[in-house]
């Protein structure tokens, strides 16, 4: 409990920074307000201490949290006021080998600087960790994080402190290049966090099975490295200061080797603070160490306050510290202690991460604990042997290749566990969408925390389990009904007044538009069992088509979009920063996803952003002609130009502009769809108009509206179109 004296104030400061940093204009007033609250709170706590120590402790905690927030808010304000957008030339210290990557802006037009930023786009010049790059870049602020898109970069050689790491990374990649199967893909990721070889299939399996954290180098890897260095120094009789120095050097080298991702930064800071405690002889609780590490990292990189990766890293570590052993002891009543301990580790981590995870994706993995139980023991073997291969590669390539083969065995085992776990019926189960999903997960965590505090953690775990089962059952009901049409190929999501259309074939999925709200599209994807979007088409950037795109961060392989403007550039950059490749569409562009083919029908040339520049697409799958045409918000004039340019027949059409009156009947007659999907909700525009519904019928089709039927799923085959709707009593 003593650790909480620091943990709770740090959590308050973190929450304040995460809430306020997206609004730079309020950072200075908020910092002043926090200082006033801190001073007033400490005085009030002093007065209350004479009457009630519990009340005084509560007020003191809030006051200290406000005090800690002051320097964090000041740091965020300093980052936001850097005015990098006015710089003609930037000097960057590179911290990665490919965009997007973290960088440090060290100079702006010759003036010194020290600002963290994310390089989203760079020319084809190869990047290198530790190298200095000079060039012209567009810069804009996203909360307290600077984003850069560089048109030209002159990249120098890596600095001495980093030049050695590139050779080691390349050596490991060379040593593992001939390893077969998914074990070969996974080995560099498990060892040094290099996921460039991991295929989309394996990446999705790792994510669905709850094993993706194994390729994000974090605390466990740092513990292995620091512990091995410390023990090696001790084995040769080194004194404690020397052992700590050796361990610190190994830690610094490891951070450089694996690149400073959020989880690595947090783990490295925590390990460094622990080493300082060893040198000074002062004992510190693990939660206090974690709290200090979080505070230090946020002071240096305030934009991580809103980083899901950093939050998950810190929460998972806290869960292991606080509840790893108690949950193991509770489970030991029914399981042997070694097995109970193995189960408790992923269970505790997932319990603490759940409020954030379900906020990002309204589904949970019911097999992650089992998958981690099977794969977890193999991960340290891969790390240790893989690092040995990495270190041996420059001096003895043959030895490195042999070690890589040894590390391949447990890596292949982990990959196989992920692939099998993904195929299990409960690999992903739906969860209530935000905000109810996050609140439910928080209630489960609170039940375990309160049970632990009262010495009845088994009861807390039981209550949390019951709450979780109720949540899954309520969220799963539409999916249970969808089981009657499990072979759906086209779906129109009910996202309110907006549009979001899915088409899938085999393992490939295309999403056209994302609706107005992240929670609505996330809930639809969960109902339909969709985790990964191979191709996202944003027809244009009106909020009713692109407002929900933030729910797709980290889940998109390729983003295809229409003409961008100042309003939409930040969204494209955000999706790119989360891992999506981007492409501005023109008529004739085409993409193959397995056997599915997506072709851009519009726009034909440089169009001004807006409705008539919407990306119209035709999506074809094997087994009979073109199946789907999506028209975005094209009006009658643009539809006429599209008709003259050429448009194919289709089984299904998404009616343009939510069924507005601005339609060209001849276009719909040319398409000849059996079904016309209308994405529409409550609105003041009169959508859909009777005229638009009538022209679908006159073209031989049946209009289906999401405001009446909810989410609609279609199965298209040689016998025609079969329909499922979310709301009972929907279309036959």
């Amino acid at each position: 409990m003593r650790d909480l004296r620091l943990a709770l104030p740090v959590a308050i400061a973190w929450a304040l920074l995460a809430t306020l940093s997206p609004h730079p204009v309020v950072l200075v007033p908020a910092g002043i307000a926090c200082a006033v609250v801190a001073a007033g709170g400490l005085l009030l706590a002093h007065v209350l201490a004479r009457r009630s120590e519990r009340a005084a402790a509560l007020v003191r905690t809030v006051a200290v949290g406000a005090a800690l927030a002051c320097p964090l808010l000041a740091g965020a304000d300093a980052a936001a006021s850097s005015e990098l957008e006015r710089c003609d030339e930037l000097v960057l210290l590179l911290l990665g080998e490919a965009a997007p990557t973290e960088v440090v802006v060290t100079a702006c037009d010759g003036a010194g600087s020290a600002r963290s930023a994310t390089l989203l786009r760079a020319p084809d010049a190869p990047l290198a960790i530790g190298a200095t790059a000079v060039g012209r870049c567009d810069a804009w602020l996203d909360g307290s994080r600077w984003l850069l898109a560089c048109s030209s970069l002159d990249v120098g050689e890596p600095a001495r402190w980093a030049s050695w790491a590139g050779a080691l990374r390349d050596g490991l990649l060379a040593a593992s290049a001939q390893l077969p199967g998914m074990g070969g893909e996974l080995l560099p990721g498990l060892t040094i966090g290099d996921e460039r070889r991991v295929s989309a299939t394996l990446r999705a399996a790792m994510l669905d099975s709850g094993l993706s954290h194994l390729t994000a180098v974090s605390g466990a890897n740092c513990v292995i490295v620091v512990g091995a260095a410390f023990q090696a120094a001790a084995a040769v009789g080194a004194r404690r200061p020397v052992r700590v120095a050796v361990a610190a050097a190994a830690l610094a080298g490891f951070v450089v080797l694996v690149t400073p991702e959020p989880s690595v930064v947090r783990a490295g800071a925590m390990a460094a603070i622990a080493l300082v405690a060893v040198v000074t002889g002062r004992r510190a609780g693990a939660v206090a160490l974690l709290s200090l590490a979080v505070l230090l990292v946020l002071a240096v990189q305030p934009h991580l306050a809103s980083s899901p990766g950093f939050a998950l890293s810190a929460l998972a570590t806290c869960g292991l510290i606080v509840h790893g052993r108690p949950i193991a002891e509770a489970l030991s009543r029914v399981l042997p202690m070694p097995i109970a301990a193995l189960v408790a580790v992923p269970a505790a981590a997932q319990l603490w991460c759940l409020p954030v995870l379900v906020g990002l994706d309204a589904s949970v993995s019911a097999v992650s604990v089992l998958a981690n139980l099977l794969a977890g023991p193999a991960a340290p073997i891969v790390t240790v042997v893989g690092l040995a291969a990495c270190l041996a590669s420059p001096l003895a390539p043959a030895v490195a290749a042999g070690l890589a083969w040894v590390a391949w065995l447990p890596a292949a085992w982990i990959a196989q566990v992920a692939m099998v776990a993904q195929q299990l019926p409960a690999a992903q189960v739906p969860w209530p969408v935000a905000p109810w999903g996050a609140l439910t997960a928080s209630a489960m965590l609170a039940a375990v925390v309160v049970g632990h505090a009262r010495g009845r953690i088994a009861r807390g775990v039981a209550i949390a389990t019951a709450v979780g089962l109720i949540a899954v059952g309520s969220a799963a009901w539409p999916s249970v009904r969808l089981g009657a049409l499990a072979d759906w190929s086209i779906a129109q999501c009910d996202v309110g007044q907006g549009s979001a259309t899915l088409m899938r074939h085999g393992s490939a999925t295309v999403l056209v538009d994302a609706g107005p709200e992240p929670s609505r599209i996330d809930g639809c994807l969960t109902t339909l069992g969709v985790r990964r979007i191979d191709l996202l088409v944003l027809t244009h950037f009106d909020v009713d088509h692109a407002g929900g795109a933030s729910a797709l961060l980290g889940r998109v392989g390729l983003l295809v979009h229409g003409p961008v403007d100042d309003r939409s550039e930040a969204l494209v950059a955000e999706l790119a920063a989360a891992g999506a490749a981007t492409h501005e569409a023109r008529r004739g562009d085409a993409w193959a996803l397995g056997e599915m083919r997506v072709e851009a029908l519009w726009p034909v040339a440089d169009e001004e952003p807006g409705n008539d520049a919407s990306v119209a697409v035709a999506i074809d799958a094997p087994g009979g002609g073109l199946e789907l045409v999506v028209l975005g918000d094209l009006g009658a004039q643009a539809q006429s130009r599209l008709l003259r340019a050429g448009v194919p027949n289709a089984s299904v059409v998404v009616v343009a502009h939510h069924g507005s009156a601005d339609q060209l009947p001849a276009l719909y007659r040319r398409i000849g769809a059996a079904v016309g999907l209308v994405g529409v909700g409550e609105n003041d525009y009169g959508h859909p108009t009777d005229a638009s519904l009538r022209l679908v019928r006159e073209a031989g089709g049946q209009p289906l509206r999401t405001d009446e039927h909810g989410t609609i799923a279609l199965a298209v085959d040689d016998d025609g179109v079969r329909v499922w709707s979310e709301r009972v009593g929907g279309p036959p």
Side-chain angles (χ1 to χ4, degrees), residues 14-426:
W14 184 359
L16 287 171
L17 180 62
T19 302
L20 298 173
S21 60
H23 312 287
V25 70
V26 306
L27 291 174
V28 172
I32 296 172
C34 285
V36 172
V37 169
L42 291 174
L43 288 174
L44 179 59
H46 180 71
V47 173
L48 289 175
R50 302 171 184 174
R51 300 181 180 179
S52 171
E53 181 56 37
R54 178 173 295 182
L58 177 61
V59 173
R60 192 181 301 113
T61 297
V62 174
V64 174
L68 293 176
C70 292
L72 300 184
L73 294 172
D77 179 66
S81 59
S82 300
E83 298 185 339
L84 296 182
E85 76 277 7
R86 299 186 179 182
C87 301
D88 292 325
E89 184 180 78
L90 294 177
V91 180
L92 311 177
L93 175 63
L94 303 177
L95 301 178
E97 295 180 307
T101 182
E102 292 293 315
V103 299
V104 177
V105 180
T106 58
C108 165
D109 292 336
S113 175
R115 290 285 171 251
S116 176
T118 300
L119 178 62
L120 296 180
R121 293 194 296 275
D124 293 335
L127 307 182
I129 297 173
T132 297
V134 182
R136 300 178 62 86
C137 304
D138 293 327
W140 64 96
L141 197 62
D142 178 23
S144 58
R145 176 180 62 162
W146 283 99
L147 303 177
L148 307 177
C150 298
S151 57
S152 64
L153 275 182
D154 182 12
V155 181
E157 292 297 320
R160 288 185 179 180
W161 60 265
S163 58
W164 59 272
L168 291 181
R169 282 190 298 271
D170 293 342
L172 177 63
L173 292 175
S176 60
Q178 303 304 318
L179 298 179
M182 292 184 174
E185 296 177 20
L186 202 55
L187 176 57
L190 293 168
T191 304
I192 57 173
D194 189 329
E195 299 182 80
R196 285 177 290 179
R197 285 184 182 165
V198 178
S199 64
T201 300
L202 179 55
R203 193 185 305 273
M206 295 288 287
L207 188 65
D208 290 346
S209 59
L211 296 176
S212 59
H213 65 92
L214 295 179
T215 55
V217 178
S218 60
N221 306 76
C222 288
V223 167
I224 292 171
V225 171
V226 171
F230 198 90
Q231 293 301 323
V236 297
R239 298 185 177 223
R240 184 168 66 177
V242 176
R243 281 181 273 166
V244 171
V246 170
L251 174 64
F254 183 68
V255 170
V256 173
L257 179 65
V258 302
T259 72
E261 297 178 353
S263 60
V264 179
V265 171
R266 191 275 311 156
M270 187 174 176
I273 294 170
L275 290 174
V276 171
V278 171
V279 171
T280 60
R282 297 176 61 88
R283 295 179 60 84
V287 174
L289 285 176
L290 174 62
S291 303
L292 282 172
V294 167
L295 193 63
L296 177 63
V297 171
L298 293 180
V300 176
Q301 295 183 296
H303 68 273
L304 289 180
S306 55
S307 165
F310 182 73
L312 291 171
S313 173
L315 288 172
T317 304
C318 191
L320 295 178
I321 294 169
V322 175
H323 285 137
R325 177 172 293 184
I327 291 178
E329 291 174 349
L331 292 176
S332 66
R333 301 174 185 175
V334 294
L335 295 171
M337 189 58 187
I339 296 178
L342 287 174
V343 172
V345 169
Q350 181 153 331
L351 175 67
W352 277 74
C353 291
L354 197 58
V356 175
L357 289 172
V358 298
L360 297 172
D361 178 14
S363 64
V364 295
S365 174
V367 300
S368 65
V369 172
L370 175 61
N372 277 274
L373 176 65
L374 295 173
I381 302 174
V382 182
T383 300
V384 172
V385 181
L387 282 175
C390 189
L391 295 173
S393 59
L395 302 175
V399 174
L403 290 171
W405 272 103
V406 175
W408 173 83
L409 290 171
W413 167 254
I414 293 172
Q416 191 61 36
V417 168
M419 295 300 296
V420 172
Q422 185 193 36
Q423 303 304 316
L424 296 177

Side-chain angles (χ1 to χ4, degrees), residues 562-642:
V564 298
D565 53 19
D566 293 340
R567 176 190 62 175
S568 55
E569 192 173 52
L571 175 59
V572 173
E574 190 176 15
L575 287 162
T582 63
H583 179 83
E584 186 170 330
R586 290 290 184 271
R587 180 179 174 87
D589 292 344
W591 303 270
L593 303 170
E595 295 181 307
M596 187 160 51
R597 186 174 186 273
V598 182
E599 181 181 357
L601 305 175
W602 197 261
V604 294
D606 291 333
E607 301 274 353
E608 289 296 319
N611 287 354
D612 284 348
S614 293
V615 178
V617 293
I619 308 177
D620 182 22
L626 226 41
E627 292 186 347
L628 175 66
V629 168
V630 185
L631 299 171
D633 275 2
L634 295 178
Q637 185 176 3
Q639 290 178 25
S640 177
R641 295 169 60 197
L642 173 60

